[in-house]
Amino acid sequence: MSFSFFRPASRSPQWSPLELVYAIREGLRALDTETGAKALEEVEKNILSMKQLLSGNGEAELDPNQVSQVAVEVCKDDLLSLFVLKLPTLGWQVSSFCC
């Protein structure tokens, strides 16, 4: 008997690293628009999904191919510089994403 309803629900569908990086990039770009609040929710959700993809979830083993694909896509799209530029807009607590 499976008690899968006790596990936390996945925050987003299983996206490829390319789709995940694209969604984060577009969400960060949309932060300054009228739909900034919705974009902020999407960015937070996608960042958590990326964190889970990069660190694993305890149920499945970490896939080194996906980790390298994320690294390639982040570098190719220059996502880190965009993330740093939008960091003041995000207003996150440092402790909320460290652990």
Side-chain angles (χ1 to χ4, degrees):
M1 179 174 209
S2 173
F3 293 103
S4 62
F5 55 89
F6 287 120
R7 289 186 296 206
S10 176
R11 297 187 67 107
S12 68
Q14 285 292 338
W15 286 358
S16 71
L18 174 65
E19 294 168 329
L20 193 56
V21 169
Y22 177 79
I24 292 171
R25 185 186 70 221
E26 293 306 311
L28 288 172
R29 288 182 178 167
L31 286 176
D32 298 328
T33 65
E34 295 175 0
T35 60
K38 177 73 172 151
L40 181 61
E41 290 178 21
E42 290 297 315
V43 168
E44 289 175 350
K45 178 180 72 171
N46 291 328
I47 293 283
L48 288 173
S49 295
M50 183 179 285
K51 178 183 174 183
Q52 184 179 15
L53 183 108
L54 293 174
S55 63
N57 61 3
E59 294 176 6
E61 286 191 31
L62 189 62
D63 185 4
N65 291 330
Q66 284 190 335
V67 173
S68 65
Q69 285 176 347
V70 167
V72 166
E73 294 302 326
V74 164
C75 292
K76 186 169 67 173
D77 286 348
D78 202 21
L79 186 64
L80 287 179
S81 64
L82 180 61
F83 182 76
V84 169
L85 287 173
K86 299 294 183 170
L87 203 52
T89 307
L90 296 173
W92 291 334
Q93 297 283 329
V94 174
S95 62
S96 65
F97 287 98
C98 72
C99 303

